Amino acid sequence: MLQHVFATMNELLDDIIRQYPHAQGKEKKELDHQMSLLRSMSDLIVEEWLQFEEKLAQLRPRGKDAAGGKMKKEQEISAPDYGDPFQRGQGYYLLMMYKEAVKHLEQAALHQPDNIEVRAYLAMAYLNMGRSQEAGHHFEFIIPLTESKCLKAIAYNALGCIQAEQRNLSLAQEYFAKAHQMDPSLPEPVFNLKVCLSNCGHLQYGAGNMNHMQ
């Protein structure tokens, strides 16, 4: 997952480096915003990595196996194909750059129309862009085709958010109830149901659950 993020970050930074010397006005402000986002992402990753290293250091003396006293070799993982539009789109999605994510995810969906994971990221990207009609179309496509109760719950919760934003509160509550029934461990449907009933608070799409949807 982090490989996808760093590949996308490097690609975006290369574009900024090429464009920045000649950018002016609105274009330069947009590039500055993108650099600020990349810097924030980099700082967050470094901070999390340092915390991880501190915890890992506590276990290193016990990191030898009993047979030969040598550290176990990590399983080799093949490098991802960064030419794959899904991996590019996923990287932009994780950077919360939804407009760019949609461009690549739409391309991936054309090549893999039955790929549920592609559809899920594309639907959530559209939802975060406020394009509810496109998002709803993909979520409705996902529900009957996936066996993942978690993903069904994410889709029902998202459809509930769409209906709630359109003030169809009765239908929204039905979707939130279905989401909770599919995966009671998902907190967003219960929270969103309370928002509908109290007419107070902000709806939660549940985007953070995408990594656990299988």
Side-chain angles (χ1 to χ4, degrees):
M1 189 68 69
L2 280 178
Q3 289 176 312
H4 301 168
V5 174
F6 279 118
T8 305
M9 290 174 68
N10 275 292
E11 179 184 2
L12 181 58
L13 186 58
D14 288 340
D15 289 339
I16 293 173
I17 292 171
R18 286 194 296 269
Q19 298 176 38
Y20 200 84
H22 312 290
Q24 294 180 352
K26 184 178 180 180
E27 183 182 3
K28 186 175 181 181
K29 288 183 179 180
E30 177 61 25
L31 293 176
D32 287 335
H33 173 71
Q34 293 180 2
M35 282 195 294
S36 177
L37 177 60
L38 289 174
R39 192 174 295 112
S40 297
M41 287 291 297
S42 178
D43 291 343
L44 177 61
I45 291 170
V46 170
E47 182 180 351
E48 293 292 333
W49 175 76
L50 289 174
Q51 293 179 7
F52 176 80
E53 277 293 317
E54 290 178 2
K55 294 180 180 179
L56 187 61
Q58 300 174 14
L59 297 176
R60 277 174 180 156
R62 295 174 291 187
K64 298 181 179 180
D65 64 289
K70 296 181 179 180
M71 297 293 291
K72 294 181 180 179
K73 292 183 179 180
E74 296 182 357
Q75 183 180 5
E76 293 186 1
I77 302 175
S78 58
D81 178 11
Y82 296 130
D84 180 3
F86 171 61
Q87 292 184 352
R88 287 177 177 270
Q90 187 183 45
Y92 278 115
Y93 178 90
L94 294 172
L95 290 171
M96 295 181 288
M97 301 177 66
Y98 303 116
K99 183 178 180 180
E100 290 79 3
V102 162
K103 293 177 183 177
H104 295 287
L105 292 170
E106 281 283 13
Q107 184 180 356
L110 287 175
H111 293 122
Q112 306 176 63
D114 297 327
N115 188 313
I116 300 301
E117 191 176 9
V118 170
R119 292 271 188 170
Y121 275 96
L122 180 57
M124 196 63 77
Y126 273 132
L127 187 62
N128 280 281
M129 290 176 65
R131 294 172 62 173
S132 299
Q133 184 174 356
E134 292 97 330
H137 167 73
H138 290 291
F139 281 123
E140 289 171 355
F141 177 90
I142 288 169
I143 291 172
L145 297 181
T146 182
E147 296 181 358
S148 168
K149 290 186 177 181
C150 179
L151 183 50
K152 285 181 184 288
I154 291 172
Y156 277 127
N157 179 70
L159 290 172
C161 289
I162 292 172
Q163 294 301 321
E165 289 170 350
Q166 296 175 356
R167 307 307 298 169
N168 300 323
L169 299 184
S170 179
L171 183 54
Q173 291 174 30
E174 290 182 20
Y175 279 130
F176 293 141
K178 287 183 179 179
H180 180 66
Q181 182 181 6
M182 284 292 166
D183 187 353
S185 68
L186 207 66
E188 287 83 5
V190 175
F191 177 87
N192 290 333
L193 186 57
K194 292 179 180 178
V195 170
C196 284
L197 293 174
S198 65
N199 197 27
C200 179
H202 298 283
L203 297 168
Q204 295 184 3
Y205 296 155
N209 300 299
M210 293 295 288
N211 295 337
H212 309 287
M213 66 184 181
Q214 287 80 10

